[in-house]
Amino acid sequence: LDSPLVEQSVRLSATQQLRAVHSSDVASLMLWVRRKTDATGAVAPFATRPALGLLRAETQAEVTESRDELTRRAMAAGGFFGFDGYVLTTQDGIVHASTLTDLTIGQPADEFVSRASRLVGTRGAMVSRPFTAPDGGRRYIASAAMRDEDGAIVAVLHLVGTPDEELFDLLAVSRPGESGETYLFSDDGILLSNSRFGSSLLAAGMVATMFFYIAINLLMVMGLAPVVGIPLPFMSHGGSSMMTNMLCV
């Protein structure tokens, strides 16, 4: 066989596989963004009444009552769609309610929330790219406008999510080859999707540990190995052994 032709054929095959994988992952990501956008657009009307009550409140008691009701509704509906927090701002980015500890009520939000607050009026419901939060974690926001009885935008609801696990589940598709997984990076080089190799190696190590204990113990019983102090998991007496096995399970 001609080596250059073989190399060219292998390279062409790898390129075609990569393009197919890339197209599949891009389609999955676009569908994920669409679902998050639709979810935020559905949650916003559900939380509009307490949001309007909060913005129109005249006493501290009314503020507290409306904010508690808004939090209950936003977290209940948002949690159903995979979100774990929310922020309520005006279109100029001033925070009026939030479950995020790094934002202050009555103060401007961070650059990502403020930018989404300005753009949602012209773009409608939207999903931001994942970004690094002040606490060092990664998050994304899905934003939708909240309108009053006349249809005017009075506030913007931002539902907050963590991309690591969601994008991990989205991209963790079994494929042939040595790598078998796709990694997603932001435009500034930050890894946005967790690797499944870490959890796989941890699980393999725990299973190997228990298998080693069982194999050595059975070999000792059958007289095929010297008797040493290797316990049989969940059967032999020993507190430290039982604790180790329970942690592995």
Side-chain angles (χ1 to χ4, degrees), residues 188-221:
D188 51 358
I190 297 176
L191 180 64
L192 301 177
S193 58
N194 289 335
S195 170
R196 68 172 178 266
F197 286 136
S199 57
S200 298
L201 290 175
L202 181 61
M206 291 180 176
V207 171
T209 299
M210 297 187 67
F211 176 79
F212 174 78
Y213 284 163
I214 294 174
I216 296 299
N217 191 280
L218 293 179
L219 289 174
M220 288 190 302
V221 172

Side-chain angles (χ1 to χ4, degrees), residues 50-61:
L52 291 176
L54 175 61
L55 296 174
R56 297 169 180 174
E58 297 180 354
T59 65
Q60 185 59 41

Side-chain angles (χ1 to χ4, degrees), residues 13-14 17-18 20-21 173-182 196-197:
S13 176
Q17 290 184 12
L18 181 60
V21 169
V173 179
S174 297
R175 301 190 181 95
E178 294 184 359
S179 62
E181 73 175 84
T182 301
R196 68 172 178 266
F197 286 136

Side-chain angles (χ1 to χ4, degrees), residues 18-229:
L18 181 60
R19 286 176 178 174
V21 169
H22 179 266
S23 299
S24 174
D25 287 335
V26 169
S28 298
L29 287 171
M30 293 302 295
L31 180 60
W32 177 80
V33 170
R34 181 64 181 175
R35 287 175 176 172
K36 293 298 180 179
T37 302
D38 293 342
T40 309
V43 173
F46 178 69
T48 295
R49 188 181 67 82
L52 291 176
L54 175 61
L55 296 174
R56 297 169 180 174
E58 297 180 354
T59 65
Q60 185 59 41
E62 292 177 344
V63 169
T64 302
E65 181 181 358
S66 298
R67 186 172 290 153
D68 290 344
E69 177 66 13
L70 173 62
T71 299
R72 186 184 66 81
R73 292 196 177 199
M75 294 303 295
F80 179 78
F81 294 106
F83 297 100
D84 51 21
Y86 85 97
V87 182
L88 180 73
T89 68
T90 53
Q91 277 196 283
D92 55 359
I94 302 300
V95 179
H96 284 268
S98 174
T99 57
L100 304 181
T101 58
D102 53 281
L103 297 180
T104 305
I105 304 299
Q107 297 296 321
D110 58 44
E111 58 174 319
F112 295 98
V113 175
S114 297
R115 182 173 181 272
S117 301
R118 295 190 300 267
L119 293 177
V120 76
T122 56
R123 295 187 179 181
M126 56 180 290
V127 177
S128 74
R129 67 178 179 86
F131 58 91
T132 302
D135 60 2
R138 290 185 291 269
R139 68 173 61 143
Y140 69 92
I141 54 173
S143 308
M146 308 182 83
R147 303 177 183 272
D148 61 12
E149 298 83 354
D150 300 324
I153 298 177
V154 294
V156 180
L157 178 67
H158 310 273
L159 296 179
V160 183
T162 305
D164 301 55
E165 293 300 327
E166 292 190 49
L167 296 180
F168 168 80
D169 294 336
L170 186 68
L171 299 177
V173 179
S174 297
R175 301 190 181 95
E178 294 184 359
S179 62
E181 73 175 84
T182 301
Y183 296 97
L184 184 65
F185 291 85
S186 65
D187 53 1
D188 51 358
I190 297 176
L191 180 64
L192 301 177
S193 58
N194 289 335
S195 170
R196 68 172 178 266
F197 286 136
S199 57
S200 298
L201 290 175
L202 181 61
M206 291 180 176
V207 171
T209 299
M210 297 187 67
F211 176 79
F212 174 78
Y213 284 163
I214 294 174
I216 296 299
N217 191 280
L218 293 179
L219 289 174
M220 288 190 302
V221 172
M222 292 185 293
L224 300 178
V227 178
V228 293

